[in-house]
Amino acid sequence: MTTVAACLCEGTAEEVIMKKLLEAHKLTFSKEELLGKDILRVRSGRRFATNYLNHTFSKTIQVYRIHDSKSEAFKLPKPYEQKIKLIDIYTTPEIEMLMIFKEGLYNDWVKEKNHNIKPSEFCSERFPKNNIKSREFNECYWDVDAIIASAKEYDQKTKKSGKSINDLIIANNC
């Protein structure tokens, strides 16, 4: 078996963004290297193991976990712990930060975040007629160039602890 990676997303926006990058061949891994040949929508380590790790793998599987919470546990069953290299990719505080950068609203958000407004709330206020968490909105809203530019700007302007989506984008882009 040649599969060596899995990309797990916690939400719809993350899934749409990663699928667009994957389809455009902009990620450091290819579709052919992924379990299921696609981005997976899985949050639970146990569910991931049950649904996707019921085979014998000769190689360690790199699991890229796209999520915003640094405290959310991802517990794999013991037999799989040695075969998985878990790589957390953070979208802290939320994936909507990429939308804030795309719209050029970072400075506005910084002013409002002192009032405890989450990026998703901030974006919902600016797009009141849209469900910014929906698949339909994200499919129409995002294009590959905007994702790459927003991910790069996110890395440049925020205090990054850990890896981000930008770390998975092939370096010669933008």
Side-chain angles (χ1 to χ4, degrees), residues 117-163:
I117 187 166
K118 294 176 10 179
S120 57
E121 294 166 351
F122 180 86
C123 291
S124 290
E125 289 173 3
R126 271 122 188 108
F127 295 91
K129 294 181 180 174
N130 297 290
N131 177 358
I132 63 166
K133 301 263 188 194
S134 76
R135 180 170 307 282
E136 181 181 21
F137 175 81
N138 281 283
E139 289 283 356
C140 293
Y141 181 79
W142 289 109
D143 64 77
V144 172
D145 291 337
I147 295 167
I148 292 169
S150 298
K152 183 176 181 179
E153 190 173 2
Y154 169 85
D155 273 13
Q156 291 170 343
K157 290 189 176 174
T158 62
K159 291 180 182 169
K160 193 174 117 171
S161 70
K163 294 190 178 293

Side-chain angles (χ1 to χ4, degrees), residues 2 26 108 128:
T2 59
K26 301 294 185 183
D108 294 340

Side-chain angles (χ1 to χ4, degrees), residues 72-86:
E72 186 177 301
F74 187 79
K75 188 89 170 123
L76 288 164
K78 285 247 186 254
Y80 298 107
E81 288 177 353
Q82 299 300 322
K83 283 294 193 180
I84 301 296
K85 179 181 179 191
L86 185 63

